[in-house]
Amino acid sequence: MKDNKPKKKSDYGKSIAISTSLHALLIVALIWGADFTMSKPEQTGQMVQAVVIDPAVVKQQAQQIRSQREAAAKKEQDRLDKLRRESEQLEKNRKAEEERIRKLKEQQAKEAKAAREAEKQRVQKEKERQAEEARARKEKERAAKAEAERKAKEEAVKKAEQERLAKEAAIAKAEQERIAREKAAKEAEEKARREREAAEKAEKDRIAKEKAAKEAAEKARKEKERLQRLERERKEQEAALNDIFAGLETEADQNSAARNQFINDELARMSSIYTQNIQQRLIKDDYLLGKECRVNIKLIPTGSDMLVSGVTVLGGDSRVCAAAKSAIAQVGSFPKSAEASVNEKLKDINLTVALD
């Protein structure tokens, strides 16, 4: 609506200018026609001379003049009719322009009224919009307040739930601590019981070891006596063999058999000594009784004894075998035989170690 007002004002100015120009042109034309019709005949300064005038000529000239005047009068009348028509047309145009201007003003008034009405509606709508915005703002504030209250309630419920969970956790923790204390007390009691039992077992083991040591010492003494007896018997056998060999020097086969028997007996005797030396160093334990282990021992002859160079387990109880290997390592070296052939066989010897 605002954009059409400058254009309409321009149309009004243009119409008024055209109407004014047409009226001015009509006035000028009228004045101009008046000048032509109202001009006075000029007087000449010639003197009139009497002449003979031919009536026919005069009549002809009069006719000519009348024709010229009629033509001039007709021309002037045509000009005046034309000016009248133009004036009437200009008047019609003026009235039409005035009507158009009136209608335009009415249209402008209607448009202005419509614009005022539209502005009034716009203002009303703006007020309604502002009122709606205010209502929406209040509603939003109310909703925000309600949301804040809801969140506050949720936070309070959440806090109460957290406090409840914290209390439950504290109770559970206290219960766990009580159970842990009871468990620790039981474990401490069990540990004290195990330590007491271990101390009792250690005491029993000490007594058993002392008893085993005494038994081993007694056994060693008896073994020593047995070895001495075996040595005497060996010497007696050797003396007897010497006697036999002295009496049977020519009987090579018998001597060879006797020699082999002697070597075998000597090898068995040395094996028995080796086994006794190992068993004396075994740790006696009830769970090892009745179990045995078979081992292979590699020995290296030295100047006075046989030095252990290696031990291989051939089979038997694993715990007895472990104890046997430890005992062999403790022995380190074994006595040599007086017979070189026996010592040769002792370089790679298999023994069975058992706990009785």
Side-chain angles (χ1 to χ4, degrees):
M1 183 64 69
K2 290 182 180 180
D3 294 337
N4 293 331
K5 288 183 178 180
K7 184 176 179 181
K8 291 180 178 179
K9 288 180 180 180
S10 178
D11 292 340
Y12 298 155
K14 185 177 179 181
S15 300
I16 293 171
I18 292 171
S19 178
T20 304
S21 298
L22 290 174
H23 284 78
L25 181 62
L26 179 61
I27 293 169
V28 171
L30 292 173
I31 293 173
W32 180 264
D35 289 341
F36 276 100
T37 57
M38 296 176 66
S39 61
K40 295 180 179 181
E42 295 180 359
Q43 296 181 0
T44 61
Q46 295 180 358
M47 294 181 65
V48 177
Q49 294 179 0
V51 294
V52 178
I53 299 173
D54 187 355
V57 172
V58 172
K59 185 178 180 180
Q60 183 181 358
Q61 289 179 349
Q63 184 67 32
Q64 185 179 0
I65 290 170
R66 188 168 52 249
S67 296
Q68 290 177 348
R69 284 183 177 179
E70 289 177 354
K74 186 178 184 301
K75 184 177 181 181
E76 180 63 19
Q77 187 63 39
D78 291 341
R79 186 181 67 80
L80 292 174
D81 291 341
K82 182 180 179 182
L83 289 174
R84 181 180 56 76
R85 289 193 301 272
E86 289 177 353
S87 178
E88 290 176 354
Q89 185 63 38
L90 288 174
E91 183 65 17
K92 288 180 180 180
N93 292 340
R94 183 186 65 78
K95 289 181 179 180
E97 182 65 18
E98 287 180 353
E99 181 66 17
R100 190 184 67 81
I101 292 173
R102 184 185 64 78
K103 290 181 178 180
L104 187 60
K105 288 182 178 179
E106 288 179 356
Q107 181 66 24
Q108 286 180 340
K110 290 180 181 179
E111 291 179 353
K113 183 179 180 182
R116 287 194 301 274
E117 189 67 26
E119 179 66 15
K120 183 178 179 181
Q121 292 179 359
R122 187 192 66 78
V123 171
Q124 182 63 27
K125 289 182 179 179
E126 180 66 17
K127 289 181 179 179
E128 291 176 355
R129 184 187 63 79
Q130 292 178 357
E132 181 64 22
E133 287 182 353
R135 187 191 64 78
R137 184 171 61 255
K138 290 181 180 179
E139 182 64 22
K140 186 176 180 181
E141 290 175 354
R142 187 192 64 78
K145 183 178 179 182
E147 180 65 16
E149 291 176 354
R150 185 188 64 80
K151 288 184 178 179
K153 289 180 181 179
E154 287 184 355
E155 187 66 25
V157 171
K158 184 178 179 181
K159 184 177 180 181
E161 180 66 13
Q162 289 177 349
E163 291 176 354
R164 184 186 65 80
L165 293 175
K167 289 179 181 179
E168 290 181 354
I171 293 171
K173 183 178 179 182
E175 181 65 16
Q176 290 178 354
E177 290 177 351
R178 183 188 65 77
I179 294 172
R181 287 194 298 271
E182 290 180 355
K183 183 178 179 181
K186 289 180 180 179
E187 289 178 352
E189 184 179 354
E190 181 65 20
K191 183 178 179 181
R193 185 186 64 77
R194 289 197 300 267
E195 290 177 352
R196 184 172 62 254
E197 291 178 353
E200 293 174 356
K201 186 176 181 300
E203 181 64 19
K204 289 179 180 179
D205 291 343
R206 184 188 64 78
I207 294 171
K209 286 179 180 179
E210 288 182 356
K211 182 179 179 182
K214 291 179 180 180
E215 291 176 353
E218 181 64 21
K219 192 172 183 180
R221 184 185 63 76
K222 291 180 179 180
E223 181 64 19
K224 184 177 181 182
E225 292 177 352
R226 188 181 69 81
L227 292 176
Q228 290 175 351
R229 179 176 57 77
L230 290 174
E231 183 64 19
R232 286 195 302 270
E233 291 176 354
R234 184 188 67 78
K235 289 181 179 180
E236 290 175 355
Q237 289 176 0
E238 187 178 354
L241 289 174
N242 289 333
D243 292 342
I244 293 171
F245 291 150
L248 302 173
E249 292 178 355
T250 58
E251 297 179 0
D253 293 336
Q254 293 180 358
N255 291 339
S256 177
R259 180 67 177 173
N260 290 335
Q261 183 63 41
F262 170 74
I263 291 172
N264 290 333
D265 292 341
E266 181 65 12
L267 183 61
R269 187 181 69 84
M270 295 303 295
S271 297
S272 177
I273 293 172
Y274 286 6
T275 301
Q276 292 295 327
N277 288 341
I278 295 169
Q279 289 177 343
Q280 287 176 3
R281 288 170 175 78
L282 288 175
I283 297 175
K284 302 295 177 64
D285 203 336
D286 293 341
Y287 68 85
L288 297 178
L289 294 177
K291 296 179 175 62
E292 62 182 20
C293 177
R294 186 167 175 77
V295 296
N296 174 264
I297 304 175
K298 297 291 192 298
L299 298 173
I300 300 174
T302 60
S304 60
D305 51 18
M306 302 290 285
L307 185 64
V308 176
S309 64
V311 179
T312 302
V313 175
L314 300 177
D317 185 82
S318 60
R319 290 173 292 183
V320 176
C321 291
K325 288 181 70 175
S326 177
I328 292 170
Q330 292 178 20
V331 173
S333 62
F334 293 91
K336 288 177 68 175
S337 173
E339 294 294 331
S341 58
V342 175
N343 292 330
E344 190 66 25
K345 291 182 179 293
L346 291 174
K347 288 181 181 180
D348 188 358
I349 184 172
N350 296 332
L351 297 176
T352 298
V353 179
L355 290 177
D356 299 330

